[in-house]
Amino acid sequence: MNVRLLGLGEVPPKLAEAVLAGLPRSFAGGEIGRLPVALENCYDRTRAQVDASCLIERIPDPEPGWSALGLTGVDLFMPALTYVFGISHLGGRRGIVSWFRLRAEEETAEAQARFTRRITTEVVHELGHGMGLVHCVVPDCAMHRSLWPEGVDLKRPEYCPACLATLASL
Amino acid sequence: MMTMPVRILVVDDEQHIRNSLAAWFREEGYEVGVAASGRDALAAIARDGTHILLVDIKMPGMDGLELQRKVHELAPDATIIIMTAYASVETAVQALKEGAYDYIVKPFDPEAVSRLVRKAAERYALLAENRALRERIASASPALITGGSPAMTKVIELVEQVAPTDTSVLITGESGTGKELVARLIHARSNRRFGPFVVENCGALAEGLLESELFGHERGAFTGAVGRHRGKVEMANEGTLFLDEIGDVPARVQVDLLRVLQEHEFKRVGGNETIKVDFRLVTATHRDLEAEVASGRFRDDFYFRINVFQIPLPPLRERPGDISALAEHFLTKFSTQMNRRISGFSPDAMAALVGYPWPGNVRELANAIERAVVLCHGEKIEAGHFPFVAPPGSSDHSLATIEEAHIRQVLAACSHNVAQAARELDIDRVTLYNKMKKFGIERP
């Protein structure tokens, strides 16, 4: 499976490159692109957030053998939920991840590295959903559900053997 | 460990809410359905079954509260989580009072909704496990060993016919014919099988004590009533109350029982609170209740109330063809219990069993086989192992045989007045009844 990382709005080039480089070897390769979307069309003024379920529909269906993942810095929500780190179409090879709530607390190099790792882990997570994986009970598997940034730190940007086996059977 | 995937149904008239929640829970690995209205939800439940429902409280047409009431009827085990906006929290509290599992305010904190649904899924798993255990218990219901005689085959047919109904059953038959076993079988085959099966031997207690045992009492109702006591009637709620030796119930207690059967409510002795009860009554007697009614010793209105469906149990002497099967059954049971290797009965032993009249019926047969297993040190039970076959030139000096003979002698001397015999033997009436039961001694 190849991965196409699409910038939704402003994305620091080095960040996208670091995320692509940090993907596990189970992905064959990838490329970085930019998708010109009008984020304001999915913006909810009352909540001051962007509707993730609206935004994901802006991402075009990828060709066979590819997964498309939008990367953004805006705060995402789903209509029923106060916030999400990202969403995807289960088995649909499309997803988005926001780094808004994954930001590092400090400006140190160590904190910055942790921040990049968080984004990479959540990208791997949403790519997994896009390929048909559901949440995993293994605490350090990328497919384990995390609801706060520190929870993401407990995971690795890789799939556990059980999830890899599931992927092979899909 | 869950045995099947948990199915969630999201019911909300707002499409983007139900779709986003469905996507969220599918990622968790749940099976998720959506419904745009209460009517669609009921159709989905009837079609697919549902374990957890997330229900929006405000929907056009059937609202969340009304849907909740209908779901309780359609799928009582389903767990309902109410979704509400701030403005309708009061209604959500009303939903909780009517049995909702919890409520959650829109928009949800992802962690809160995830945790809530996980807890609901755990509740479902516990309910499923509980149900499986109950079904296992029900399938292990008491077996009635019949030996295949036409008379006992008819009994089984009657049990199967009456068990699923709520009809009162009167089981008649001599002492030791298995009346309590038949009562337990009726309960196990009934819709009340998951409720309690409560037994009271009405012949073993004096009038005042029986009243207290049946209806319970409040603290201070009488001397010695140091605390509140729940009676057997109250304990049998949603289950079956089995009253053995119903022919021994005094007239005043018959009136009280008649009232509770008609009104489905009663008061504890010394109490003012009216308690509602719902139980099925099964009674048993070795007496001829019609004769008791004719002589005025038993109330006719109570008799007609308890004798809606009668199951007569034939004495063992009228079905000798069952004896060998019953004997083999008890031999297997007791030799297993005592870890003895006994392969069967000698021809003489079986002839003795079939030829004996068994006045104490199946209970006496069971006691005789148990005793024989204790005495037997060979591969087969011999005729001499039975108490009713005395070896030539010798006598059985076992304590049990002497005790039984002594009890029979004292009872006969007291004209079978149990209270008087108990005083003579210096034991209480309950102990004497238990010993009579053990030895298969019945009152003429």
Side-chain angles (χ1 to χ4, degrees):
Chain A
M1 182 69 67
N2 294 291
V3 177
R4 180 171 296 125
L5 280 183
L6 296 167
L8 308 174
E10 288 300 315
V11 178
K14 283 191 176 177
L15 180 64
E17 286 167 14
V19 169
L20 195 62
L23 294 182
R25 289 182 182 175
S26 51
F27 292 101
E31 62 183 30
I32 296 169
R34 189 168 183 280
L35 188 66
V37 292
L39 290 172
E40 59 272 22
N41 289 344
C42 295
Y43 186 72
D44 185 309
R45 290 186 182 284
T46 317
R47 297 173 65 151
Q49 287 176 299
V50 172
D51 185 347
S53 55
C54 164
L55 192 57
I56 196 172
E57 297 307 324
R58 305 295 192 271
I59 296 178
D61 273 328
E63 58 272 38
W66 283 80
S67 285
L69 194 121
L71 204 55
T72 183
V74 297
D75 191 14
L76 297 176
F77 77 97
M78 282 171 78
L81 302 170
T82 49
Y83 69 90
V84 288
F85 294 156
I87 65 166
S88 53
H89 280 171
L90 196 62
R93 293 181 288 117
R94 285 191 296 157
I96 47 176
V97 166
S98 161
W99 68 75
F100 183 86
R101 289 174 185 261
L102 301 174
R103 287 178 196 279
E105 307 76 18
E106 307 149 31
E107 294 294 324
T108 62
E110 188 186 333
Q112 192 59 36
R114 190 161 61 241
F115 173 54
T116 307
R117 192 174 188 271
R118 283 176 185 173
I119 302 171
T120 309
T121 303
E122 285 309 281
V123 165
V124 174
H125 181 94
E126 296 304 338
L127 286 170
H129 282 321
M131 292 186 290
L133 289 179
V134 295
H135 287 153
C136 176
V137 293
V138 177
D140 66 347
C141 174
M143 293 313 297
H144 194 76
R145 168 161 272 174
S146 311
L147 298 168
W148 63 94
E150 292 75 14
V152 180
D153 293 340
L154 300 174
K155 304 193 291 188
R156 292 178 299 126
E158 289 173 16
Y159 304 118
C160 71
C163 285
L164 284 173
T166 306
L167 278 177
S169 68
L170 287 172
Chain B
M1 182 66 74
M2 292 178 196
T3 52
M4 59 186 292
V6 175
R7 277 192 296 277
I8 296 176
L9 184 65
V10 181
V11 190
D12 200 307
D13 57 319
E14 292 181 71
Q15 187 185 14
H16 60 284
I17 293 275
R18 58 178 186 268
N19 285 351
S20 62
L21 273 178
W24 175 259
F25 290 121
R26 281 191 189 111
E27 288 180 356
E28 285 278 335
Y30 297 116
E31 282 184 10
V32 189
V34 292
S37 66
R39 181 185 287 189
D40 289 354
L42 292 173
I45 293 166
R47 187 181 59 243
D48 307 324
T50 293
H51 307 121
I52 300 170
L53 284 101
L54 284 115
V55 177
D56 183 29
I57 205 149
K58 278 197 167 183
M59 291 186 289
M62 189 189 302
D63 68 8
L65 277 179
E66 191 182 346
L67 174 62
Q68 175 176 319
R69 290 182 201 115
K70 287 191 162 66
V71 170
H72 280 321
E73 290 171 21
L74 190 65
D77 283 351
T79 300
I80 298 174
I81 296 169
I82 293 291
M83 302 186 289
T84 177
Y86 281 112
S88 56
V89 166
E90 282 181 8
T91 329
V93 172
Q94 179 64 28
L96 285 183
K97 285 180 182 169
E98 293 189 23
Y101 179 64
D102 210 334
Y103 76 91
I104 190 158
V105 178
K106 290 184 201 172
F108 320 127
D109 175 69
E111 188 184 349
V113 72
S114 190
R115 190 173 52 235
L116 184 57
V117 170
R118 198 166 53 244
K119 275 173 61 189
E122 285 169 3
R123 176 181 183 269
Y124 158 69
L126 283 173
L127 283 172
E129 188 180 7
N130 191 299
R131 193 182 310 106
L133 285 171
R134 283 174 174 227
E135 281 168 5
R136 275 176 56 192
I137 290 167
S139 66
S141 62
L144 199 61
I145 309 301
T146 67
S149 68
M152 286 308 286
T153 304
K154 178 68 180 170
V155 168
I156 295 292
E157 283 175 12
L158 292 173
V159 167
E160 297 294 345
Q161 281 172 12
V162 79
T165 72
D166 248 359
T167 301
S168 296
V169 180
L170 174 64
I171 305 164
T172 58
E174 292 178 7
S175 181
T177 46
K179 295 188 286 292
E180 181 172 332
L181 201 56
V182 169
R184 285 185 185 277
L185 198 60
I186 291 170
H187 175 72
R189 297 276 191 276
S190 76
N191 296 330
R192 295 174 178 272
R193 60 188 177 280
F194 299 137
F197 179 80
V198 179
V199 183
E200 182 60 67
N201 185 341
C202 302
L205 296 169
E207 181 174 329
L209 267 180
L210 177 62
E211 191 181 15
S212 172
E213 271 299 295
L214 288 175
F215 298 104
H217 60 249
E218 295 291 346
R219 184 180 179 184
F222 49 81
T223 309
V226 292
R228 174 183 281 182
H229 171 72
R230 289 172 76 230
K232 296 290 174 69
V233 167
E234 195 173 341
M235 289 159 65
N237 192 34
E238 298 186 351
T240 302
L241 177 63
F242 174 56
L243 299 181
D244 201 1
E245 302 300 354
I246 192 73
D248 292 355
V249 172
R252 194 165 63 81
V253 181
Q254 289 177 34
V255 174
D256 293 338
L257 280 169
L258 186 60
R259 188 176 302 127
V260 74
L261 287 172
Q262 287 172 343
E263 309 295 333
H264 303 290
E265 61 184 34
F266 71 100
K267 290 176 181 171
R268 296 191 192 101
V269 176
N272 293 319
E273 184 191 358
T274 299
I275 299 161
K276 298 269 184 196
V277 278
D278 170 29
F279 63 89
R280 191 237 193 111
L281 182 67
V282 177
T283 54
T285 184
H286 70 280
R287 293 181 188 276
D288 180 353
L289 283 190
E290 277 192 45
E292 297 286 312
V293 170
S295 67
R297 285 192 295 270
F298 203 82
R299 293 181 63 98
D300 57 354
D301 51 359
F302 185 55
Y303 174 67
F304 294 132
R305 188 68 185 75
I306 63 172
N307 187 29
V308 182
F309 191 96
Q310 191 174 131
I311 299 179
L313 295 188
L316 192 52
R317 64 181 171 279
E318 290 180 13
R319 46 187 182 109
D322 285 353
I323 291 174
S324 61
L326 285 164
E328 293 287 354
H329 166 73
F330 289 126
L331 176 61
T332 304
K333 175 183 171 182
F334 293 123
S335 56
T336 304
Q337 276 179 9
M338 297 179 212
N339 199 22
R340 307 293 286 271
R341 288 189 178 182
I342 302 171
S343 61
F345 299 92
S346 72
D348 283 353
M350 188 53 78
L353 288 173
V354 175
Y356 184 67
W358 298 110
N361 289 294
V362 181
R363 186 183 298 127
E364 185 184 3
L365 174 62
N367 289 344
I369 305 292
E370 182 177 4
R371 179 179 181 277
V373 171
V374 172
L375 295 175
C376 179
H377 294 291
E379 284 190 2
K380 288 185 182 294
I381 300 281
E382 300 292 342
H385 292 135
F386 299 129
F388 49 87
V389 179
S394 70
S395 59
D396 184 347
H397 290 110
S398 76
L399 187 58
T401 305
I402 292 166
E403 185 184 21
E404 179 186 348
H406 184 57
I407 288 171
R408 285 184 185 278
Q409 190 181 351
V410 172
L411 275 168
C414 298
S415 304
H416 288 86
N417 181 319
V418 175
Q420 189 184 343
R423 280 195 296 275
E424 286 290 324
L425 291 163
D426 198 22
I427 56 177
D428 62 60
R429 278 158 37 102
V430 176
T431 306
L432 179 52
Y433 269 111
N434 287 338
K435 286 184 183 295
M436 289 168 67
K437 196 173 180 179
K438 175 183 170 186
F439 294 124
I441 304 171
E442 64 176 324
R443 284 186 287 173

